[in-house]
């Protein structure tokens, strides 16, 4: 099964993608994570993407489509892919349709995660992740069981994203509403859209996604 998690910054795409990965064995394909890895490794793509990401704008379709296409050539995608943060523009959505059909893959469901803008700023501003395994946490909504220790891998090192400040989040929300939100109608037209309430608690959202995928 291949699915898209569609939603604004802080909607919980990464959180739910990791849960689906652990419980269903899917592969998480997060273009944000891939771009951050390219920035950290100072590759050509990373150098081109860094300033754009720090400003909360969208990296070019050309760069993003190329990294997704390359990732879809890996054999592990046969376990099922969760697209997290891709596609984000109409051009990316049609490129994905073409990529999937040329690789003999189907798109099964598009899960639209709905969350109000005011809550998103709070979610993103309080987010941090384990520097070792990438598990996500939040200052108020998801603290590790033992303070300062990752629940998953026991590491004591955490990090925050450069673009997770209130000002940049507002820019990312503008980009979301202008470029990405129209994809909701695009996938509704393909008969693949399911909508979940992303304002609920993490476990409740997980359950709604599970039933949406079974339906
Ligand atoms: P990307 O990394 O994809 O960021 P984003 O879309 O802005 O989404 P986030 O990762 O901020 O949010 P999320 O939905 O994953 O939320 P999370 O689960 O972490 O992209 C970053 C940048 O890269 C873009 O701005 C752009 O520049 C570039 N880029 C990436 N893809 C691109 C593309 N396709 N095209 C062009 N440019 C691209 O949750 C957030 C916090 O809330 C966490 O702390 C979590 O613990 C908490 N939380 C989650 N769910 C709940 C809940 N239900 N209740 C309470 N707290 C919750
Ligand atoms: Mg994310």
């Amino acid at each position: 099964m291949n699915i898209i998690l569609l939603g604004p910054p802080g909607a919980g795409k990464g959180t739910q993608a990791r849960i689906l990965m652990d419980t269903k064995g899917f592969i998480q394909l997060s273009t944000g994570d891939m771009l951050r890895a390219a920035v950290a490794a100072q590759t050509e793509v990373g150098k081109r993407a860094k300033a754009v990401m720090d400003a909360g704008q969208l990296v070019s379709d050309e760069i993003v489509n190329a990294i997704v296409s390359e990732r879809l050539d890996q054999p592990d995608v046969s376990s099922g892919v969760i697209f997290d943060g891709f596609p984000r523009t109409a051009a990316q959505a049609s490129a994905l349709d073409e990529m999937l059909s040329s690789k003999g893959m189907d798109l099964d469901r598009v899960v639209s995660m709905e969350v109000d803008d005011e809550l998103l700023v709070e979610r993103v501003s309080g987010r941090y992740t384990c520097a070792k395994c990438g598990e996500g946490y939040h200052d108020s909504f998801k603290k590790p069981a033992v303070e300062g220790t990752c629940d998953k891998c026991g590491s004591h090192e955490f990090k925050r994203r450069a673009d997770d400040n209130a000002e940049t989040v507002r820019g990312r929300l503008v980009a979301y509403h202008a470029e990405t939100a129209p994809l909701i109608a695009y996938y509704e037209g393909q008969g693949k859209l399911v909508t979940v309430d992303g304002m609920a608690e993490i476990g409740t959202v997980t359950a709604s996604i599970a039933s949406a995928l079974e339906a």
Side-chain angles (χ1 to χ4, degrees), residues 122-128 136-143:
E122 195 186 348
R123 287 234 188 126
V124 171
S125 311
R127 169 174 49 198
Y128 59 100
Y137 295 98
H138 191 279
D139 292 326
S140 318
F141 306 135
K142 190 189 165 198
K143 298 178 183 176

Side-chain angles (χ1 to χ4, degrees), residues 58-197:
L58 294 181
V59 174
S60 74
D61 292 333
E62 174 213 350
I63 289 183
V64 176
N65 290 339
I67 62 174
V68 172
S69 176
E70 204 175 295
R71 181 67 185 87
L72 291 178
D73 286 335
Q74 303 296 314
D76 61 351
V77 299
S78 61
S79 312
V81 180
I82 309 158
F83 293 94
D84 162 4
F86 178 88
R88 257 176 154 97
T89 64
Q92 290 178 21
S94 47
L96 179 62
D97 286 345
E98 282 169 31
M99 278 181 230
L100 291 174
S101 90
S102 76
K103 294 173 205 285
M105 296 168 72
D106 290 320
L107 178 63
D108 297 285
R109 292 271 193 292
V110 178
V111 180
S112 169
M113 305 177 66
E114 293 189 330
V115 182
D116 290 348
D117 282 9
E118 306 82 75
L119 182 62
L120 294 171
V121 176
E122 195 186 348
R123 287 234 188 126
V124 171
S125 311
R127 169 174 49 198
Y128 59 100
T129 54
C130 172
K132 197 170 159 210
C133 75
E135 185 66 6
Y137 295 98
H138 191 279
D139 292 326
S140 318
F141 306 135
K142 190 189 165 198
K143 298 178 183 176
V146 176
E147 204 190 319
T149 305
C150 176
D151 295 345
K152 270 258 159 102
C153 74
S155 163
H156 302 295
E157 240 184 277
F158 296 90
K159 59 181 184 188
R160 289 184 191 258
R161 273 167 49 176
D163 60 346
D164 277 355
N165 53 76
E167 194 189 325
T168 309
V169 176
R170 288 185 209 287
R172 284 156 60 196
L173 279 169
V174 171
Y176 172 79
H177 289 295
E179 303 278 354
T180 311
L183 300 186
I184 294 172
Y186 178 78
Y187 289 115
E188 199 163 28
Q190 290 191 358
K192 292 183 174 156
L193 191 81
V194 287
T195 301
V196 300
D197 174 14

